[in-house]
Amino acid sequence: MAVGKNKRMSKGKKGGKKKTVDVFTKKDWYDIKAPSMFSVKQVGKTLVTRTQGTKIASDGLKGRIFEVSLADLNQDEDQAFRKILLKCEDVQGKNLLTNFHGMDFTTDKLRSLVRKWFTLIECGVDVKTTDNYMLRVFVIGFTKRRMDQAKRTCYAQSAQIRQIRKKMTEIVTRESVTCDLKELVLKFIPEVIGKEIEKVCAGIYPLQNVYIRKAKILKAPKFDVTKLMEVHGDYSGEDAGAKVERPAEEAKPEEEA
């Protein structure tokens, strides 16, 4: 063996063990605030790594999308089958200001609606609100048994399906183009559009369980802080939290030090 080739044998591994640092010590908690169209403002909390050098914390938060149940947002368990997507638009202090980004059904609700012997009718419509949001709205509906019907099946003819789909498109477009995003979301929640479709299409074929199944934002206008603040209101007067007295045992070690 060549002399002087294995000098490091007694010294152990090069570099040694790396210190394990808890990553959560470098992170901060932020409050997620929902728009004023929902009754609950405080949705939850989210984590982000603190600002360090050129990596700014707010940049890591903007654009985050949160999925929240409508039952939690409106404190109504009957609306638990709807999922609302909220997108973080701006960061103010420890508050994340979010805006509506989309809506969907839970899988179990969708599965419970689909049954045999009935025709499922679906329709997708692209609409533009008055505040220049482009949305794609999906409507779902099912045929219904007539009062005096003896036949087991309730299948609509393809011509009737086309007529119903045309009516669905007309009603969704009419209801959407005359209002802004906030008003449109408030129409989605109580199912105003679904009831209107049921009423109008009754002459073509009776319908049941007509819902806005899904809505997603395809294109949003340029970000405007003033418009976002209109949707949110002011959080400056919020209670920051009261001072909590520490127990005597915990206070002693500090005094000794």
Side-chain angles (χ1 to χ4, degrees), residues 42-174:
Q42 176 69 36
V43 177
K45 288 178 177 287
T46 189
L47 271 175
V48 73
T49 308
R50 279 191 210 105
T51 303
Q52 208 171 19
T54 55
K55 205 174 181 186
I56 301 160
S58 60
D59 292 344
L61 290 164
K62 283 175 191 172
R64 279 192 190 183
I65 293 166
F66 307 99
E67 190 180 273
V68 191
S69 171
L70 189 58
D72 296 334
L73 286 171
N74 282 346
Q75 292 181 321
D76 180 10
E77 278 306 312
D78 295 335
Q79 297 174 339
F81 60 87
R82 281 197 190 281
K83 295 182 291 187
I84 302 290
L85 297 178
L86 300 172
K87 186 179 180 180
C88 175
E89 298 277 0
D90 196 22
V91 182
Q92 291 190 355
K94 291 284 179 190
N95 293 335
L96 299 192
L97 306 189
T98 62
N99 205 352
F100 177 82
H101 187 66
M103 182 183 75
D104 204 354
F105 258 33
T106 56
T107 312
D108 61 311
K109 174 68 175 175
L110 207 55
R111 300 283 183 274
S112 70
L113 294 173
V114 181
R115 289 182 292 163
K116 60 180 182 178
W117 317 125
F118 298 93
T119 304
L120 183 154
I121 302 162
E122 268 193 305
C123 165
V125 193
D126 286 3
V127 292
K128 193 175 188 179
T129 61
T130 52
D131 50 356
N132 293 322
Y133 278 92
M134 275 286 288
L135 285 97
R136 183 164 290 155
V137 180
F138 298 90
V139 187
I140 194 169
F142 300 86
T143 53
K144 187 168 84 173
R145 198 174 266 119
R146 287 188 173 89
M147 292 287 284
D148 54 348
Q149 187 174 321
K151 194 169 71 169
R152 181 192 261 182
T153 59
C154 307
Y155 297 133
Q157 293 172 349
S158 56
Q160 290 171 321
I161 292 170
R162 277 199 299 274
Q163 277 179 286
I164 289 168
R165 221 174 260 137
K166 193 180 175 187
K167 287 283 181 200
M168 281 177 172
T169 308
E170 280 173 19
I171 292 163
V172 171
T173 307
R174 188 184 70 217

Side-chain angles (χ1 to χ4, degrees), residues 7-29:
K7 283 179 185 173
R8 294 203 53 86
M9 273 182 76
S10 59
K11 291 184 183 177
K13 225 173 191 181
K14 196 172 183 179
K17 270 191 177 179
K18 256 193 174 182
K19 266 190 180 179
T20 51
V21 182
D22 185 14
V23 289
F24 283 88
T25 56
K26 295 178 182 176
K27 293 183 185 288
D28 281 332
W29 289 97

Side-chain angles (χ1 to χ4, degrees), residues 175-193:
E175 293 285 337
S176 305
V177 294
T178 54
C179 59
D180 61 15
L181 184 69
K182 186 181 175 180
E183 288 166 10
L184 187 60
V185 174
L186 291 171
K187 281 183 184 180
F188 287 159
I189 294 165
E191 214 49 70
V192 174
I193 298 169

